[in-house]
Each structure stands twice: as C-alpha cells, then as structure tokens.
Amino acid sequence: MDGKEYNWKEDVRDFLGGYFHQDVDDAYEALDEFIEECSREGKKRTLLNIEKFLSTKEMTELEKEKLEDEYKYLNNEYEKHKNEVLELRNIYNDLLLKDRLVSQLLASKSSENKLDKFKKYLYEDFYDFANAEETLANEAEAFMKLQAIEKELELITVYPTLYKKSIVAVGGGFSSGKSSFINSLINDKKVKLPEGINPTTAIPTYVMHKEENKFIACNHNGGVVDLSKLDNKFHEKLSHDFIKSFGFNLKNIMPFMIIGTDLKAYEHLCFIDTPGYNPASSSGSYSFEDRQTSQEFIETAQVLLWVVGLDANGIVSDSDLDFLSELILDNKKLFIVLNKADLKPKSDITNIVNNLIQTLEDYDIRYIGISAYNSKAKEEIYHINKSLDEFLNDINQSSSIQDSLVKKLYEVDEMYRKSIEENIKMKNSISEDLYSISFNLLKEGFDDFENPIYGRLNKLKEHYSTEIQENNLKRLDKEIEKLKNAIDEIFEIKSKIKDVKSTQENIDLNNKIPIKYFPKNNVKNEIAKLNKRKTENKKKLRKFSKNDWLNWDYKTY
C-alpha cells in the first residue's frame, strides 16, 4: 500500500466479501473493529503523507506552517476518535456483560432442586396454618426466622461445601470498612472485594476458603452462574452504582454470590459481606432493602463481626446501637472490630475503647471482645478481652449447619406452642371461674334459667372453648414435622436434634389474663337485679354436681 492512496472502499468490499475478520465470532465486534481500523488507517496514511511532504524542501515557510497546523489538527482528531471508539467499545462490552448475566441468571436452575419441597411446605401449608392461628403476637418474627432458614438452605443447595462451615456475618454501617476487613484476610492479592468511601457492597457475598478461585452468582431457583466466565473481575464491579445502572434491583434475581479463594488460615469459616444497613441517600441505592437484607443475612449467621470505621468520630453511632438492639443476639457471638485504627493515635484508641465498653453495657449488648484493627497493614493495634486472631481461631471449627437449622425450626415451634398453650390455659382458667359463678348463683337461689344472665354465661362458655387451639396444636406438630423432614432430605441424613415441647404445667399465667375477658362486673349487676328472687326448689339444686355443671346447657333444661 506504500505510495498508493488509501482506498477504504476496497476494504469495505473485502469485509463484506468475508475476507476480513474470519476469526471473529460476533458480527458487531467485527464491524466495530473494521470501522476503527478503516478510520485509523485512513488518518494514519494521511499523516504519513503529510510527514513526507513536510520533509521536502520545495515549500515556503508559510506553506510549512499551514501544513504543520493541519498535521496537529488531524493528529488531535485521530486521538479524539480513538478515545471515542474506546469509550463506545467499553459501553458496548458493559451492556453485553449485563445482558449475559441477566440472561443466564433467568435461565439457570438446578437439575434437582431439593429446596422446592421446603418452599411448598413453608409458603403453602405452614402459611395457611399461620393465617388460621391467631394467638402469637410476634408472628412476623416467627415467619422471618423460617425465611432465614430458607435462605441458608438456598445457599447450601447451590454450594454444598457450606455444610460444615461456621457462618460469620460481617456487618456495620456504610463505609465502615467491612469489605476492606474481609480483603485483609484473603491471601490472593488478585481477589478483592470492591471498596470505597461510597456504599459499595450491594449484593451479599459469601467468602470462604477454596484452593482455586471461584466466583459464583446464585438465583432463587438453585441455579448458578460462573462469573469468571463472563469477566474474571466481575465481582469487583458489584457496587451500588453498577446495580443502579441495570434499571432494576439486581438482587431480585441475584440474591447473593459466593467467592471461593485462599483463606487457608480460616478454612472452616465462611464470611458474609453484607450491605451497610444505612447507605447514604445520595448514592441512589435501595436504602430500606439494604437494611432489610443486612438484617436477614446477619440473622442466618452464628457469629457477628460488627465493624466500626474510626475515620468518622470513632464511636459506635446511635443508629449502630439501635440496629444491634433490633437484632436477635441471644444465640450469637458478637465481636466488635474498630477498623481504620491507623487513623487514630494509640492514646485516643484506648479512650475510644473504654467509652465503647461503657456504651455497650448501657445498652445491655454482650460481646466477646473489641479489636482496634488496621485493614491495610493487616494488623491489630489494640484489643480488649480477646484479640481478633484468638477469636477467629476459636470459632474456626467444623460446624453442623443441619443441626443448627433444625434448632432454629424448633425455636419457631416453641414460639407458637407456648402462645397456644398459654391461650388454652387462660381460657380454661376463665371457664372454671365462670362455672363457679353459675354454681354460686344457683346456691344463692337464682334458679330462673330463662333469665338472660344464664344465656350470657353460656355464650361465654362457648367463647372460651379451647377446641380450635387444641386442633391448632395438632396441626403445628404436623407442619413442623414436614419442614423438619424437608431439611433432612436436603442433607440426605436425619438430624438427631429432639424437639423439647412446652406444656401447660410449665406456663405461668400471672398477669396473663386480661381484665376485659372476665365479665365479673356484668355478673354483679345481674345478681343485683335478681336479688329479691329466691329459690323454692333448693333440693333440686343440691342434686347438681360440679361435673353436671361443666356439661350443662340451659337450653335443654
């Protein structure tokens, strides 16, 4: 082509004829390359011609100056065009990546989804029972516990390696340094969770030890997508801004992801990087959903590492304390990590820790230890009670998630059972008092069974019947047993954990019976109205035993 004028039409003919880009699978990619090469080749040849022409001596200084200006202009245009093409290519690649991710997430499903049976029992059978059962005041909490079990089973069905891992949730406010803390534990420098001063963690991420790096996206159907096949650094892109660019909440089809990497020192632990419970409103993120997601995933863990960033004012905020107070921490080990400790003098850190101890005591929040930690240097600067490394080594043990899930199921069973048993015992107690009132009325001579007072007492007897609650107890046994068997089927082994059921004998009804349920004042009014009427037939009344009264219906008398 040297010495000849560049002919782009010839290139187009060759391209359309199939001589170019034989090794390119995608037509869009081929056309994109051709447009870039065509324009670049044309400008490049023009620039070469100008350089050759400038090197000749057959020009005036004015002509040379003019040509040099033209050369600079063309060169700038060439660079500008090259940058525009690069930007368009990045946009195209980004859209292609998103399209492939969404398509594969929607299409992926497990060939044998063992979770289907548990979901059916939960959202059909148990849900129907819960709607019929009205005694449990905190029913929403009970159902959330069951949904937390579902989330753990969801994870286990797609990644069985988790069977024996101890789950450690890493929680805290936005920009507290949760992701940087987890990054400090990872040995492979090529694997890194996204960090930043803005909210970054948008999709809850499970991080655990694996010899070879693995990046997996999971959907609600037990399906998985290998992210490394889409982009080997895809996990670093999952910030709030990236999620927002989809135009919908990606968490609806991708509730969590899994990273397997070198965590040899903690091979029995699985860390959950949760979204900040209080993302900045300026980020345009799903603030309420982030809070809810954070709470749900923390509830599934046996251990909670609560991270506080010392780059702010260096104290646990009121919102942190309120959020911790909302969590159910009774059966959870809590450890506080004061991250970014390198930003404070050691004397300040000591004061911060002492103030924190007092604050946690005021809120009655129990903890294992407090560590002032520098994620960048991977070092602990100060600790109280127990060091971070000691704590992690203590919990770095194989765990039976199956038994843990069955225990959580039985906790829900106990919540419903205790509430129903309390209701039954309360109704029985009130019914006995009502029968005593009826018997005392007859002993006092008020034997006019047609009087409205006896009709009202009989209606109260029906109102305090325990038949519905007795049936609900039997149904509760069946529904819990079905859910328990569904869990055992997923693990392919029967759990030996026993359900210790509460009984009425263990229930104390002191201050449990509401005054409004007991119609003592109304009965006294009726007695006052009948005060002048005496019985003429006391012998008949003496024939009634207490058992007769318990089964008596005034309408048949």
Side-chain angles (χ1 to χ4, degrees):
M1 293 179 67
D2 288 341
K4 295 182 181 180
E5 183 180 355
Y6 174 70
N7 187 347
W8 62 270
K9 292 182 180 179
E10 183 179 337
D11 278 355
V12 173
R13 282 197 302 272
D14 289 342
F15 173 77
L16 295 176
Y19 296 105
F20 277 42
H21 307 288
Q22 294 290 329
D23 59 337
V24 178
D25 296 328
D26 192 284
Y28 289 104
E29 184 181 348
L31 185 59
D32 181 55
E33 284 186 21
F34 169 73
I35 291 172
E36 182 185 359
E37 290 173 6
C38 174
S39 302
R40 185 167 59 213
E41 185 63 30
K43 287 186 174 67
K44 185 177 179 181
R45 188 151 300 281
T46 301
L47 292 171
L48 288 172
N49 289 334
I50 291 175
E51 287 177 350
K52 287 181 180 179
F53 185 67
L54 287 173
S55 65
T56 65
K57 299 180 180 179
E58 301 174 359
M59 286 191 304
T60 65
E61 290 298 323
L62 184 61
E63 288 174 328
K64 281 188 176 184
E65 186 178 336
K66 184 177 180 181
L67 283 172
E68 285 176 354
D69 290 340
E70 289 285 344
Y71 173 79
K72 290 178 182 178
Y73 172 76
L74 285 172
N75 193 51
N76 289 336
E77 285 295 305
Y78 170 71
E79 292 296 329
K80 180 180 177 183
H81 177 72
K82 185 170 71 172
N83 291 334
E84 287 176 349
V85 170
L86 182 62
E87 184 179 353
L88 288 171
R89 175 179 286 177
N90 289 337
I91 293 173
Y92 170 76
N93 289 337
D94 190 51
L95 290 172
L96 185 63
L97 181 66
K98 292 175 183 176
D99 177 70
R100 288 174 177 171
L101 174 64
V102 171
S103 299
Q104 292 186 33
L105 281 171
L106 294 176
S108 177
K109 60 181 180 180
S110 173
S111 57
E112 183 187 3
N113 195 351
K114 298 179 181 178
L115 190 59
D116 287 344
K117 186 176 287 187
F118 183 88
K119 286 185 173 182
K120 177 186 180 301
Y121 291 155
L122 175 59
Y123 291 106
E124 293 180 18
D125 301 357
F126 194 89
Y127 191 76
D128 183 58
F129 159 77
N131 279 337
E133 209 294 303
E134 299 178 345
T135 66
L136 185 61
N138 52 340
E139 191 169 24
E141 179 187 333
F143 207 78
M144 280 182 65
K145 282 177 175 284
L146 293 175
Q147 288 180 316
I149 294 173
E150 177 200 356
K151 286 186 181 297
E152 289 194 67
L153 291 173
E154 200 172 71
L155 177 63
I156 289 166
T157 54
V158 300
Y159 209 77
T161 309
L162 272 175
Y163 276 17
K164 296 187 179 300
K165 300 284 186 184
S166 294
I167 308 297
V168 181
V170 181
F174 83 91
S175 193
S176 59
K178 300 182 296 296
S179 299
S180 64
F181 169 75
I182 294 178
N183 285 335
S184 74
L185 305 178
I186 298 174
N187 296 321
D188 191 339
K189 294 181 179 179
K190 293 179 291 185
V191 178
K192 186 179 180 183
L193 298 172
E195 303 175 18
I197 58 173
N198 293 319
T200 51
T201 304
I203 303 292
T205 304
Y206 290 84
V207 184
M208 69 192 77
H209 175 70
K210 193 169 179 62
E211 295 296 336
E212 296 181 359
N213 290 339
K214 198 78 174 176
F215 308 99
I216 295 174
C218 306
N219 63 19
H220 287 292
N221 300 319
V224 298
V225 176
D226 189 342
L227 295 177
S228 58
K229 291 182 179 179
L230 300 179
D231 186 324
N232 60 2
K233 291 189 176 181
F234 192 93
H235 60 285
E236 295 183 13
K237 301 178 184 290
L238 290 173
S239 65
H240 275 279
D241 289 337
F242 182 76
I243 299 301
K244 185 182 176 185
S245 68
F246 277 79
F248 68 95
N249 193 349
L250 185 63
K251 282 186 287 189
N252 291 336
I253 61 172
M254 180 177 155
F256 58 90
M257 58 180 288
I258 300 168
I259 294 180
T261 188
D262 186 0
L263 274 173
K264 186 66 176 177
Y266 308 111
E267 60 180 325
H268 297 301
L269 300 182
C270 174
F271 297 91
I272 313 175
D273 187 18
T274 64
Y277 72 91
N278 58 345
S281 57
S282 60
S283 69
S285 57
Y286 302 86
S287 300
F288 174 74
E289 291 185 13
D290 280 334
R291 182 182 181 89
Q292 189 177 37
T293 300
S294 179
Q295 185 168 352
E296 287 176 358
F297 278 83
I298 288 174
E299 295 287 3
T300 65
Q302 295 106 324
V303 178
L304 172 59
L305 291 175
W306 190 259
V307 181
V308 180
L310 292 186
D311 53 340
N313 52 12
I315 62 171
V316 178
S317 66
D318 289 342
S319 59
D320 273 20
L321 294 166
D322 290 340
F323 186 77
L324 284 171
S325 299
E326 291 175 14
L327 297 173
I328 302 172
L329 299 174
D330 294 342
N331 299 318
K332 210 180 299 292
K333 296 177 181 178
L334 172 65
F335 194 95
I336 310 293
V337 178
L338 302 178
N339 201 8
K340 309 177 188 178
D342 51 305
L343 301 178
K344 299 285 185 181
K346 189 167 182 179
S347 58
D348 287 356
I349 291 175
T350 305
N351 292 332
I352 290 170
V353 170
N354 290 334
N355 290 334
L356 176 57
I357 292 171
Q358 184 60 53
T359 303
L360 294 173
E361 288 179 358
D362 292 342
Y363 276 77
D364 195 26
I365 297 175
R366 289 171 288 178
Y367 59 92
I368 303 296
I370 300 173
S371 171
Y373 187 74
N374 178 2
S375 292
K376 291 181 180 179
K378 302 184 179 183
E379 68 170 343
E380 183 176 68
I381 296 174
Y382 180 76
H383 73 270
I384 197 77
N385 289 353
K386 183 173 286 190
S387 72
L388 176 63
D389 189 56
E390 287 176 328
F391 176 70
L392 292 178
N393 285 325
D394 285 349
I395 63 174
N396 186 30
Q397 298 177 11
S398 179
S399 172
S400 174
I401 290 183
Q402 180 184 7
D403 288 346
S404 173
L405 295 179
V406 172
K407 286 179 182 177
K408 290 178 181 179
L409 176 65
Y410 288 159
E411 286 175 9
V412 174
D413 175 56
E414 177 65 12
M415 290 173 70
Y416 276 100
R417 185 172 303 280
K418 186 175 180 181
S419 177
I420 295 172
E421 292 283 11
E422 281 182 354
N423 191 260
I424 290 174
K425 192 166 185 176
M426 179 190 73
K427 285 189 172 185
N428 285 338
S429 176
I430 293 175
S431 294
E432 288 179 7
D433 287 338
L434 290 174
Y435 291 132
S436 295
I437 291 172
S438 298
F439 191 72
N440 290 336
L441 282 173
L442 288 171
K443 286 178 68 177
E444 292 297 323
F446 302 111
D447 62 340
D448 185 358
F449 301 123
E450 297 299 325
N451 192 281
I453 188 173
Y454 289 104
R456 292 172 189 172
L457 287 172
N458 200 55
K459 286 181 180 179
L460 285 170
K461 172 187 171 183
E462 295 174 0
H463 177 73
Y464 290 110
S465 168
T466 61
E467 182 180 357
I468 293 176
Q469 283 69 37
E470 298 285 354
N471 289 334
N472 282 345
L473 275 179
K474 294 176 182 178
R475 186 173 178 187
L476 176 65
D477 287 336
K478 292 179 181 178
E479 301 304 337
I480 292 296
E481 186 64 21
K482 286 194 292 186
L483 290 171
K484 195 265 184 184
N485 289 338
I487 293 174
D488 288 343
E489 283 185 29
I490 291 174
F491 289 90
E492 298 180 347
I493 187 172
K494 193 174 181 65
S495 172
K496 296 180 180 179
I497 300 297
K498 300 295 183 182
D499 187 8
V500 180
K501 304 179 188 296
S502 63
T503 61
Q504 290 185 40
E505 288 73 20
N506 300 326
I507 295 173
D508 182 10
L509 283 182
N510 286 335
N511 301 319
K512 289 281 185 181
I513 302 177
I515 297 299
K516 64 178 181 179
Y517 287 143
F518 191 72
K520 182 180 287 186
N521 293 333
N522 289 337
V523 173
K524 283 186 176 181
N525 291 337
E526 294 294 340
I527 293 174
K529 293 178 183 178
L530 297 172
N531 196 33
K532 293 182 180 181
R533 303 184 57 182
K534 300 291 182 181
T535 181
E536 295 177 354
N537 164 353
K538 291 183 180 180
K539 291 182 181 180
K540 177 176 65 176
L541 298 180
R542 293 192 185 99
K543 293 179 182 179
F544 277 81
S545 66
K546 187 170 184 179
N547 287 335
D548 292 330
W549 282 112
L550 291 177
N551 299 310
W552 169 65
D553 187 345
Y554 81 100
K555 293 179 181 177
T556 60
Y557 186 75

